[in-house]
Amino acid sequence: MTGDDSLKDVQNVGVDSGSDPAPAADEGGAGGRSGRRSRGSAGRRAQRGGAGPGTSMPYIKRKLKSYEVLDEEGLELIEANADTILEEIGIEFRDDSEIISLWKEAGADVRGERVHFPKGLCRQLLATAPETFTQHARNPARSVQIGGDATVFAPVYGPPFVRDLTGVRRYATLEDFRNFVKLAYMAPAMHHSGGTVCEPVDIPVNKRHLDMVYSHMRYTDKPFMGSVTAPERAEDTVEMCRILFGSDFVDQNCVVINLINANSPMVFDETMLGALKVYARANQAAIVSPFILAGAMSPVTVAGTLTQVLAEVLAGAAVTQLVRPGAPVIFGTFAASISMQSGAPTFGTPEPSLVSYGAAQLARRLKLPFRTGGALCGSKVPDAQAAHETATTLNTTLMAGTNFALHAAGWLEGGLVASYEKFMIDCDQLGMLQRFSEGVDLSESGQALDAIREVGPGSHYLGCAHTQANFQTAFYRSALTDNNSYEQWLADGEKRIEDRARQQCQEWLDAYVAPDLDPSIDEALLAFMDAKKAAMPDAFS
Amino acid sequence: MTGDDSLKDVQNVGVDSGSDPAPAADEGGAGGRSGRRSRGSAGRRAQRGGAGPGTSMPYIKRKLKSYEVLDEEGLELIEANADTILEEIGIEFRDDSEIISLWKEAGADVRGERVHFPKGLCRQLLATAPETFTQHARNPARSVQIGGDATVFAPVYGPPFVRDLTGVRRYATLEDFRNFVKLAYMAPAMHHSGGTVCEPVDIPVNKRHLDMVYSHMRYTDKPFMGSVTAPERAEDTVEMCRILFGSDFVDQNCVVINLINANSPMVFDETMLGALKVYARANQAAIVSPFILAGAMSPVTVAGTLTQVLAEVLAGAAVTQLVRPGAPVIFGTFAASISMQSGAPTFGTPEPSLVSYGAAQLARRLKLPFRTGGALCGSKVPDAQAAHETATTLNTTLMAGTNFALHAAGWLEGGLVASYEKFMIDCDQLGMLQRFSEGVDLSESGQALDAIREVGPGSHYLGCAHTQANFQTAFYRSALTDNNSYEQWLADGEKRIEDRARQQCQEWLDAYVAPDLDPSIDEALLAFMDAKKAAMPDAFS
């Protein structure tokens, strides 16, 4: 760590876990992070423009309360049942003797790989996990609060396919990956760069994590996620973070968030546990997330699913505190159902919404940040099915009080496909949700009593002084929806929203300008990657 | 009123204003209404099948709480400002000397057509309006509760155009009108037949109300709305209701709901006041609804809009109680914004959602049933724009605790078009909302602890006893969404949801069977219409 000015700026934003960086509109990356490795390039990035076509929006600080579907009695019932699962049935931690030993030391009843938990043990361990923390971005103006009244939107995670701008569905490439990073950088209401925005299938499977992490470091200055597909890839992620942020800074601050899925029901596997340990040791955040298709990985009921989710999160999240007390950890839920006729996953239906609302309540009672939802849908194309499923899930995501919303844009076809068109449509909707979350302005201007007096019965407000003073910011403006007359719409070529989204997407990609990165850091990152890649043969499975 | 058995059934359901007909799945119209005119045909309609392809769902009894965006302080502020509008600015009642006289007698300060209200006068008058009431359908199983924890969905109201099943946008006809009545009759989660489901432009403007009301009486047995376009048309509606339900029954019960729009800002006109008086005198329900495109008819702010809406509803709704204390009246709001660039109306944006949530809170404090929302959108086609705008509005409608949701299916292009495809897509979403409103089942089966015990770590729930016992009803099943594999979807012809909706719509129309209607009632209705039509020349404007 060096003492240069840029770093002081960073520290003022809030270095400590649990601190609260004030959300602020994009200020051009002033302060930067380029001096972190004491190469004296602080401020070189200052004066760069915003994140793209619009003014960047900070993460959401919700002014509205969260919606609740369970009362105290229901919550206590589910918590008691989860305790019963933990004590009586137990959770399996497979192929990881270190974690088994940690559980024994902590006082759990371990039988082979099955761990049974005395009542209250997991909750007690989780008392050291922060209720809110800051994930730092290399541009301090982009740092985000995770937890409390904050909501952070991140792009789709994991699709092996894309639907590209020519409408073709094909395997994703590194170029697609970079494109989605660029689009997320430019989208005003996208607060995070995400992780595996799509799988760059053209890069060897044992090396692509390097290109992914590098892309998040190079082509955006928003916060991002790390690799979890093997412990050594998690180590590489942490190492690259140390190059970007400085080793001491990384040890004391969260700079990367990582998605650790449970193998529901009630199993954590070697791969996920390996990555979880690497990140917890490095003081980086894990989202411990049961991946639930209700009816297959959990009971066919909402309450049963919530019970199992809570038990899995309690056990999995507590591991982070066994490894390093105080390490940030997020209560995650991926909620979908399956069609009981075909077995196919379904999204945007009533039951997953109820699961998300309920799980958010359980997480708040645990004093852990919460992740669920996103722009989930099962449709193959960005049609009205996709939009209905997405809108219902996104509305639920926000109104549940979700803190970290993965998959908030671009998700199509049950997550198999990252869609350029849908990414743009979803981002527009995220802007609306962000505006909604600001609630009702009750200031004197908000009350507008003078406007009502001025206009009076039978007139209109179009020209009145209050409207003139406020019209530019009064209503959320969508660049994608068409509200013109039918005749104008005909004259414009009878476009559907995906046509407008495709056009906007191409315009954004054409207009993209990368945020500055200290060349010495860039060189160090590239050198690290080259060395890593050279040290192992390509693997494609 | 006669003393036959079918009528006793009706009375048991709840004859009094404010009574609560238990929601029940369709039971084949047992009891009927055919004996109402003492022609002894009671029970002839019994044993008829349900309302179409699925089991009919009763109106919604919400088990979840309503979402709120204003706290006590905010609500009091808006209420105080509304009182200021009423007292200081006043409301205009145009071209209706009777209502002006009524206001003078009630103690208002009347200056020409402008009425100023002493603080508290309107609230005091509204104390006689019922907090909940029953709107009776000719099939008692279809009667609906208006108010309290009930939500009733009704179709789109008012479009002069349709988008038909060949994709053509054209003027609506009486055949279209009948088709939408039939579809609403068959849609399981559509609780109401609505009113002007489209304008039958092929029928003379001064006669079409007769065909519309007759269609709601003949082709469905769900509750419906009356004509408000002229006082004499309202009288015709009431007269036809007397033929269908019996005069005494109509005098003592609500059998028709009517949409009375304010001419915002702060004006009620002769036409609306004339219809309002006819219905209130007949003890029939009025929805007093400021039609608000915020920025044009109200201030550009949410709080300012809410203030004006409250003032307008207080003044307009109180008129019903001046005419007939105890007449049912609904607090209505139509909330949209305008594009401050083009002046075009916009839907599904954050600000109208906030207006709907806030207005619902204000209505509950007034102890009046509440109407807002629906499947509103500005898109010209049922694409992702239409669906996003619709989903956001429909979710808001339900979660605000709306009691009567007009426009809940079929609305397209800012309400200019009734779309067959969108009607089907919207109805599917209404089913999901109805399921969501049931909340979380916390019974022993809902908790599913035995299922979790049976399955244990690392297995799956597909075949377990609990899943086998519950899979058929566990999750909402959509007949329109596609969740198959990509390969299956390709093999099925790469259909979008509107393709499937078009097909489902044609199947429903082909399968439609009209509910029985006592032939003597049918003859009397037709004779009334013939006489009315013969008595005046056709008018087309």
Side-chain angles (χ1 to χ4, degrees), chain A residues 65 88 301 308 446 453 461, chain B residues 67 88 301 308 446 453 461:
Chain A
K65 52 188 173 181
E88 180 191 314
T301 63
Q308 183 186 307
R453 284 195 181 98
Y461 289 81
Chain B
Y67 187 68
E88 180 190 315
T301 63
Q308 184 185 306
R453 284 196 182 97
Y461 290 81

Side-chain angles (χ1 to χ4, degrees), chain A residues 91-279:
Chain A
I91 303 286
E92 285 189 12
F93 294 86
R94 292 188 177 163
D95 304 314
D96 193 320
S97 58
E98 182 187 8
I99 284 178
I100 292 294
S101 299
L102 286 170
W103 276 122
K104 279 185 190 156
E105 285 163 30
D109 171 16
V110 178
R111 310 174 201 167
E113 294 187 318
R114 183 85 67 98
V115 180
H116 299 256
F117 307 84
K119 204 145 280 186
L121 175 61
C122 295
R123 287 177 183 276
Q124 182 194 321
L125 287 167
L126 284 166
T128 51
E131 188 168 358
T132 71
F133 63 91
T134 298
Q135 180 186 1
H136 294 269
R138 70 178 174 97
N139 176 350
R142 310 277 194 200
S143 295
V144 291
Q145 175 186 325
I146 306 289
D149 57 359
T151 294
V152 171
F153 292 135
V156 62
Y157 186 106
F161 300 100
V162 295
R163 254 192 200 268
D164 68 21
L165 288 173
T166 67
V168 172
R169 180 188 187 272
R170 56 168 173 75
Y171 276 109
T173 66
L174 184 58
E175 189 187 347
D176 294 310
F177 189 100
R178 289 176 183 147
N179 282 341
F180 282 109
V181 169
K182 292 172 183 177
L183 293 170
Y185 170 65
M186 297 174 83
M190 184 59 77
H191 315 110
H192 204 277
S193 194
T196 310
V197 291
C198 60
E199 276 286 343
V201 174
D202 53 336
I203 308 293
V205 72
N206 59 338
K207 299 180 179 178
R208 64 176 72 141
H209 65 287
L210 298 162
D211 292 288
M212 291 196 275
V213 171
Y214 176 75
S215 296
H216 286 302
M217 293 178 164
R218 180 68 196 90
Y219 301 111
T220 183
D221 61 3
K222 294 186 179 182
F224 58 85
M225 300 173 76
S227 176
V228 295
T229 52
E232 62 273 20
R233 295 173 198 160
E235 293 283 10
D236 287 346
T237 303
V238 172
E239 200 48 52
M240 290 173 78
C241 287
R242 289 179 181 130
I243 295 170
L244 182 66
F245 289 92
S247 293
D248 292 348
F249 191 84
V250 169
D251 186 61
Q252 295 302 313
N253 297 283
C254 175
V255 299
V256 67
I257 286 184
N258 308 283
L259 182 62
I260 306 295
N261 281 340
N263 272 8
S264 302
M266 297 170 278
V267 172
F268 287 89
D269 70 22
E270 182 183 18
T271 303
M272 287 290 127
L273 292 172
L276 180 148
K277 286 191 292 183
V278 169
Y279 286 119

Side-chain angles (χ1 to χ4, degrees), chain A residues 439-493:
Chain A
V440 181
D441 171 14
L442 291 169
S443 69
E444 202 174 307
S445 172
Q447 294 174 54
L449 205 47
D450 284 345
I452 299 172
R453 284 195 181 98
E454 179 186 342
V455 169
S459 185
H460 65 77
Y461 289 81
L462 292 172
C464 82
H466 182 264
T467 301
Q468 291 294 317
N470 293 286
F471 79 94
Q472 285 187 309
T473 56
F475 301 133
Y476 179 82
R477 283 195 216 184
S478 165
L480 286 183
T481 62
D482 178 279
N483 295 293
N484 290 329
S485 69
Y486 176 67
E487 291 70 25
Q488 185 63 49
W489 176 78
L490 278 184
D492 290 344

Side-chain angles (χ1 to χ4, degrees), chain A residues 65 67 81 88 265 296 301 308 341 344 351 380 385 446-447 453 458 461 476-477 482-484 496 500, chain B residues 65 67 81 88 265 296 301 308 341 344 351 380 385 446-447 453 458 461 476-477 482-483 496 500:
Chain A
K65 52 188 173 181
Y67 188 68
N81 287 347
E88 180 191 314
T301 63
Q308 183 186 307
Q341 287 67 52
E351 297 81 12
K380 315 299 175 288
Q385 175 185 339
Q447 294 174 54
R453 284 195 181 98
Y461 289 81
Y476 179 82
R477 283 195 216 184
D482 178 279
N483 295 293
N484 290 329
R496 301 170 68 94
R500 297 188 293 275
Chain B
K65 52 188 174 181
Y67 187 68
N81 286 349
E88 180 190 315
T301 63
Q308 184 185 306
Q341 286 68 52
E351 297 80 13
K380 314 300 176 287
Q385 175 185 339
Q447 293 174 54
R453 284 196 182 97
Y461 290 81
Y476 178 83
R477 283 195 216 182
D482 177 279
N483 295 292
R496 302 170 66 95
R500 296 188 293 275

